[in-house]
Amino acid sequence: MAFAISKRNATAFLVTLLLVSVPLSFSTLQQDFVKCLVDNSDVSFPITASFFSPDQNATLFKEELESTAQNLRYLTPSNPKPVFIFEPLYETHVQAAVVCAKKLQLHLRLRSGGHDYEGLSFVAEDETPFVIVDLSKLRQVDVDLDSNSAWAHAGATIGEVYYRIQEKSQTHGFPAGLCSSLGIGGHLVGGAYGSMMRKFGLGADNVLDARIVDANGQILDRAAMGEDVFWAIRGGGGGSFGVILAWKIKLVPVPTTVTVFTVTKTLEQDGTKVLYKWQQVADKLDDDLFIRVIISPASKTTKPGNRTISMSYQAQFLGDSNRLLQVMQKSFPELGLTKKDCTEMSWIKAVMYIAGFPNSAPPEALLAGKSLFKNHFKAKSDFVKEPIPVEGLEGLWERFLEEDSPLTIWNPYGGMMSRISESEIPFPHRNGTLFKIQWLSTWQDGKVSEERHMKWIREMYSYMEQYVSKNPRQAYVNYRDLDLGTNEGESDAREWGAKYYKGNFERLVKIKGEFDPENFFRHEQSVPTKIG
């Protein structure tokens, strides 16, 4: 992009602008950062629209900080706040942000969608001063049907990516997340599972190229970063190797007719028996069929405290309802699926159905990019290798009925997930995994009841230890859980690293040590440069 004025004149103009337009308390660090940006990038961007700080406008700063964050537990007054938030408009601004943060000894937190379960993209407990580089304005998506691929910038939500694909074609899709407000930058770097994973694998399994900014401020594509780093960023977790600018993704074929259904069972409807059967068949069903189970307490009557357990079987099938009914009758008749339970629709409408949009919502609703889920919550995850016995489920129900608003979602594996090697990318949870569990406890009154809910989910997690994966007890890195450990010492990463990555962790550490030896990109659970 051409410069309209010289850098010297631009710097003088910018300094004058800062002195005129911001209060005397305006952060010196931010002034220094802006001056450095001018020296290291194209200056033709609106300063006031790209920076948010409490000194300039506390209300706008608060709004921007909270704009995409899901977990309200990390937005309390006591949580550390960034000195400022910078929203780059061009890739060169990201390069300059890295160079300038390094020069000014500012710690960076990187945010694309803000969904980090432990707030690591917008809170730094032990690093001061820190700033947030928010990539939400870098959201261009370019779809190329001739090559069956698309370039998606990191700030685009997965919903936007789906929308841009369906703008060009009704028979192309991408196998990534169920939640449409996920930022694709951080989503794919953790693996990215979705309702087509049994057919095509993870989102990260379908990445062809990437553009990242390294710790020296250089933009690297797959060829320039090398195959080791390209391997590491597809499942190695966010905030460890660089700033993801964009992904080149491989589009996959989808049929013109996709069928969805939701069938709910309760304890009084033999729900436990049906769930036990689901565990035995979910990973062995036709690859076109994905049935997840959403489990939570529900009221039996209008009387308070009279609760049962609700198990909703939510499915997407890549085909019509007639073939789906044949598959279900053969493999899972216990659910009792009928024709009237099934709804046929396009792939994009099926995406919206799974994401929780009303049937009347147009595809354009995916462009809103706002999370429908904002709560105080604590989350954990598990992977299951053997069906949980009935007595184990009954013990779980007892514990769920003790808690106010617990939720668990069980996602089936098998299919393509079993055919990809666990070392193909850092995400190792492959063959032998029946399903993945997400555990959640949510509450609305903040610190008032936080201790009670945290205690409940930790005790429930301890109870489930006997029924889930072992040596190590595995976890999903995109369901970040700081209970598993943090980087307080060289050897501290071994335990949590094995849970997320199994045998891939040591390779990740080696690549990190070579690619970012000064550990510029770091957070409480980033891949360390070495382990003791």
Side-chain angles (χ1 to χ4, degrees):
M1 184 177 293
F3 286 85
I5 51 178
S6 71
K7 287 212 170 184
R8 178 179 296 178
N9 290 339
T11 304
F13 169 75
L14 198 53
V15 171
T16 302
L17 176 67
L18 288 172
L19 290 174
V20 169
S21 62
V22 299
L24 292 176
S25 59
F26 182 75
S27 164
T28 302
L29 271 176
Q30 187 174 335
Q31 289 189 40
D32 292 343
F33 190 85
V34 170
K35 291 174 186 176
C36 182
L37 281 177
V38 171
D39 289 337
N40 288 278
S41 72
D42 182 348
V43 301
S44 59
F45 61 94
I47 300 296
T48 54
S50 296
F51 282 90
F52 301 85
S53 75
D55 291 331
Q56 284 176 283
N57 188 318
T59 300
L60 279 178
F61 172 77
K62 184 174 185 291
E63 288 177 0
E64 196 61 27
L65 180 64
E66 298 177 359
S67 60
T68 58
Q70 278 198 309
N71 197 343
L72 303 181
R73 193 157 57 89
Y74 289 99
L75 290 175
T76 66
S78 62
N79 290 123
K81 303 296 186 292
V83 180
F84 56 85
I85 301 168
F86 174 49
E87 295 184 353
L89 298 178
Y90 304 103
E91 291 183 347
T92 180
H93 298 160
V94 182
Q95 292 180 271
V98 170
V99 169
C100 296
K102 204 169 187 180
K103 177 180 178 181
L104 298 171
Q105 296 184 313
L106 283 168
H107 177 64
L108 286 190
R109 288 292 159 115
L110 310 171
R111 183 167 77 174
S112 57
H115 279 236
D116 190 290
Y117 276 14
E118 296 281 20
L120 300 186
S121 62
F122 56 91
V123 174
E125 294 288 350
D126 300 319
E127 302 271 4
T128 54
F130 78 97
V131 301
I132 295 172
V133 174
D134 184 305
L135 302 170
S136 59
K137 288 190 169 68
L138 295 175
R139 57 194 321 128
Q140 185 173 344
V141 180
D142 296 310
V143 178
D144 180 12
L145 296 182
D146 290 338
S147 64
N148 279 321
S149 67
W151 274 102
H153 277 79
T157 66
I158 193 64
E160 287 178 277
V161 174
Y162 294 154
Y163 179 83
R164 297 304 174 197
I165 294 170
Q166 70 87 41
E167 262 191 325
K168 296 284 186 73
S169 169
Q170 299 295 308
T171 57
H172 289 76
F174 183 63
L178 308 173
C179 175
S180 61
S181 59
L182 290 163
I184 197 169
H187 182 46
L188 294 184
V189 84
Y193 77 89
S195 55
M196 295 198 293
M197 61 187 278
R198 303 189 65 254
K199 180 75 170 182
F200 299 110
L202 304 171
D205 294 323
N206 291 275
V207 168
L208 302 170
D209 203 342
R211 290 168 60 80
I212 70 171
V213 176
D214 68 6
N216 296 315
Q218 300 299 307
I219 294 179
L220 308 174
D221 62 7
R222 177 175 181 172
M225 74 180 81
E227 287 302 302
D228 276 348
V229 176
F230 185 63
W231 175 85
I233 63 174
R234 291 175 296 147
S240 288
F241 296 94
V243 186
I244 304 293
L245 292 174
W247 298 104
K248 185 180 183 182
I249 57 176
K250 179 173 70 177
L251 306 184
V252 301
V254 297
T256 53
T257 300
V258 175
T259 305
V260 298
F261 69 78
T262 301
V263 173
T264 300
K265 301 291 185 182
T266 64
L267 297 183
E268 293 73 28
Q269 298 168 311
D270 285 331
T272 302
K273 185 186 297 185
V274 175
L275 185 62
Y276 183 67
K277 178 65 175 181
W278 175 88
Q279 295 182 84
Q280 296 172 309
V281 302
D283 68 309
K284 303 172 185 66
L285 295 171
D286 189 301
D287 291 3
D288 288 331
L289 180 55
F290 173 93
I291 308 176
R292 68 172 179 169
V293 193
I294 303 169
I295 304 170
S296 63
S299 296
K300 285 195 285 189
T301 68
T302 55
K303 295 179 181 179
N306 194 9
R307 300 201 299 173
T308 184
I309 299 294
S310 166
M311 291 153 265
S312 292
Y313 294 80
Q314 187 184 64
Q316 176 185 286
F317 180 68
L318 299 173
D320 63 35
S321 57
N322 289 330
R323 188 162 76 87
L324 169 60
L325 287 166
Q326 292 173 10
V327 170
M328 290 295 289
Q329 184 57 41
K330 177 183 177 182
S331 303
F332 192 19
E334 292 82 359
L335 189 61
L337 186 71
T338 66
K339 182 83 169 179
K340 69 177 183 180
D341 296 319
C342 303
T343 305
E344 296 181 347
M345 55 184 62
S346 65
W347 171 75
I348 195 69
K349 292 295 285 186
V351 162
M352 297 180 71
Y353 175 89
I354 296 288
F357 287 91
N359 289 337
S360 60
E364 286 73 21
L366 291 168
L367 299 176
K370 294 296 183 183
S371 174
L372 304 176
F373 180 91
K374 278 185 181 287
N375 281 289
H376 299 264
F377 71 88
K378 175 63 182 174
K380 289 181 171 292
S381 61
D382 270 310
F383 290 86
V384 178
K385 306 285 189 175
E386 300 287 342
I388 301 166
V390 168
E391 59 268 27
L393 296 174
E394 290 173 342
L396 179 60
W397 306 152
E398 290 176 11
R399 287 160 174 81
F400 258 53
L401 291 172
E402 294 170 353
E403 177 66 344
D404 296 343
S405 299
L407 174 70
T408 184
I409 303 175
W410 296 11
N411 291 285
Y413 272 52
M416 181 60 78
M417 292 298 291
S418 294
R419 296 191 284 273
I420 298 174
S421 164
E422 66 178 43
S423 61
E424 182 69 21
I425 63 173
F427 181 98
H429 317 290
R430 303 287 189 173
N431 190 32
T433 298
L434 301 184
F435 57 97
K436 173 176 61 61
I437 298 177
Q438 177 177 196
W439 306 106
L440 283 163
S441 178
T442 66
W443 60 96
Q444 297 294 329
D445 57 357
K447 290 289 186 182
V448 175
S449 65
E450 179 176 310
E451 185 177 345
R452 173 167 61 87
H453 297 297
M454 296 287 277
K455 181 175 184 288
W456 177 84
I457 196 168
R458 287 165 177 160
E459 289 179 350
M460 183 278 303
Y461 184 75
S462 178
Y463 163 74
M464 288 302 298
E465 183 174 10
Q466 61 193 306
Y467 301 118
V468 298
S469 60
K470 297 173 178 64
N471 302 315
R473 183 177 184 176
Q474 296 166 40
Y476 178 38
V477 70
N478 269 2
Y479 295 159
R480 187 79 67 180
D481 181 4
L482 294 184
D483 285 354
L484 302 181
T486 58
N487 287 331
E488 295 181 2
E490 282 184 19
S491 61
D492 294 326
R494 280 191 180 277
E495 188 170 349
W496 65 256
K499 292 176 185 293
Y500 289 141
Y501 309 113
K502 296 178 66 177
N504 295 327
F505 186 55
E506 290 191 3
R507 183 179 176 192
L508 283 169
V509 172
K510 182 176 183 293
I511 295 168
K512 168 73 171 182
E514 294 170 351
F515 189 67
D516 180 19
E518 296 177 5
N519 201 25
F520 178 77
F521 295 107
R522 64 187 183 274
H523 55 70
E524 288 82 347
Q525 269 188 359
S526 57
V527 175
T529 57
K530 58 183 177 179
I531 47 178

